[in-house]
Amino acid sequence: MTSSSRVSAALLYAGMIVGALITLLPFALGLLTSFTSAHQFATGTPLQLPHPPTLANYGDLGGAGFGRAAAVTALMTAVILVGQLTFSVLAAYAFARLDFAGRDVLFWVYIATLMVPGTVTVVPLYLMMAQAGLRNTFWALVLPFMFGSPYAIFLLREHFRQIPNDLINAARLDGANTLDVITHVVIPSSRPVLAALTLITVVSQWNNFMWPLVITSGHKWRVLTVATAELQSRFNAQWTLVMAATTLAIVPLVLLFIASQRHIVASIVLSGVK
């Protein structure tokens, strides 16, 4: 390795380290703050280490109804995830493998809805849910997001088109119907892509704030994002409590990412090979 290449590599690694620090330091500061007492946070500096560390902030979250909000968020995310994956797989297979009149036109019209900002649909969706008597219910939280998404259908359609026809034809010769082909051929060969979509869906729905804020009221169907936002005003902006809530909200997503790393890397490699 020449001296110039060593300098380039050193600069590259230095830039990556700086970028990692800029990304991770806010999370580290939030974690430290969550273990800091309210008195120390008010009298000390923000970068001061907790002395001594305390779990009182996490204990106070129980009295703020944070546990119920976490359960509602987990249930909402799970229902939306199952619905989105199920309907996205079915729709993507239809657009990729079935021949019917207007297939491509319908597909591109549906994909064009990606260009419509989500905030534009908030008022129409709210009116629909209110007229159906579903406002401030669990189904109002999940129904607008259960039936697939343009991004997921587009990604799956492109992947399904790359599956060799020989695999599908062999399944047909064995007497498999369309649902059997999807279940036993398409889905097993699409696990990396489905894992990436799972992570994207869980993160987006777990962090959803606008729609739950608009469609629900009170504490019964309050989700984590709304509950965390309410902590800032309900407890007079006690940031140690807010940081504890934020830390608890992030932990499941971090664990999910760690568990699905292998599948995410596989999906990236698969996309690169294609």
Side-chain angles (χ1 to χ4, degrees):
M1 181 181 289
T2 63
S3 59
S4 60
S5 61
R6 290 194 186 96
V7 172
S8 299
L11 292 175
L12 177 61
Y13 281 108
M16 293 174 65
I17 291 173
V18 171
L21 289 176
I22 293 174
T23 302
L24 296 176
L25 278 178
F27 294 98
L29 180 60
L31 180 63
L32 291 176
T33 304
S34 70
F35 291 105
T36 303
S37 66
H39 175 73
Q40 180 185 346
F41 182 79
T43 57
T45 61
L47 298 180
Q48 184 178 355
L49 294 176
H51 183 72
T54 177
L55 295 175
N57 297 314
Y58 293 94
D60 292 341
L61 291 177
F66 204 77
R68 179 178 177 83
V72 170
T73 305
L75 180 60
M76 177 193 72
T77 303
V79 172
I80 292 176
L81 174 64
V82 172
Q84 278 217 13
L85 290 182
T86 300
F87 289 103
S88 294
V89 166
L90 295 175
Y93 183 84
F95 285 127
R97 292 291 180 173
L98 302 183
D99 291 324
F100 54 90
R103 182 190 66 178
D104 293 339
V105 173
L106 180 60
F107 172 74
W108 289 112
V109 168
Y110 182 63
I111 295 301
T113 60
L114 282 170
M115 295 182 287
V116 180
T119 52
V120 174
T121 63
V122 169
V123 173
L125 283 174
Y126 177 86
L127 294 176
M128 290 171 59
M129 295 299 160
Q131 292 176 3
L134 296 176
R135 193 180 70 83
N136 201 29
T137 66
F138 175 76
W139 293 111
L141 288 172
V142 301
L143 280 177
F145 308 101
M146 279 184 59
F147 302 103
S149 70
Y151 173 78
I153 291 174
F154 174 79
L155 188 64
L156 288 172
R157 172 184 179 267
E158 296 307 307
H159 176 73
F160 292 168
R161 294 176 66 184
Q162 302 299 323
I163 298 176
N165 290 326
D166 293 342
L167 290 177
I168 296 178
N169 292 335
R172 295 287 189 188
L173 290 175
D174 289 338
N177 55 32
T178 300
L179 190 58
D180 292 331
V181 170
I182 295 174
T183 304
H184 300 292
V185 178
V186 174
I187 291 179
S189 64
S190 306
R191 286 174 182 170
V193 178
L194 291 174
L197 280 178
T198 297
L199 184 62
I200 293 171
T201 303
V202 169
V203 171
S204 62
Q205 296 304 324
W206 189 271
N207 293 327
N208 195 358
F209 175 73
M210 175 64 74
W211 179 246
L213 178 66
V214 170
I215 201 62
T216 62
S217 58
H219 293 78
K220 185 175 182 180
W221 299 114
R222 186 179 58 172
V223 297
L224 281 177
T225 51
V226 177
T228 303
E230 289 181 357
L231 288 176
Q232 300 180 33
S233 57
R234 182 180 174 186
F235 291 92
N236 196 23
Q238 289 188 11
W239 292 109
T240 55
L241 200 61
V242 173
M243 288 301 102
T246 303
T247 300
L248 285 181
I250 291 175
V251 166
L253 300 181
V254 174
L255 295 177
L256 177 63
F257 178 77
I258 293 174
S260 58
Q261 270 190 98
R262 180 170 58 87
H263 297 289
I264 295 172
V265 172
S267 68
I268 295 173
V269 172
L270 189 62
S271 301
V273 171
K274 292 177 183 178

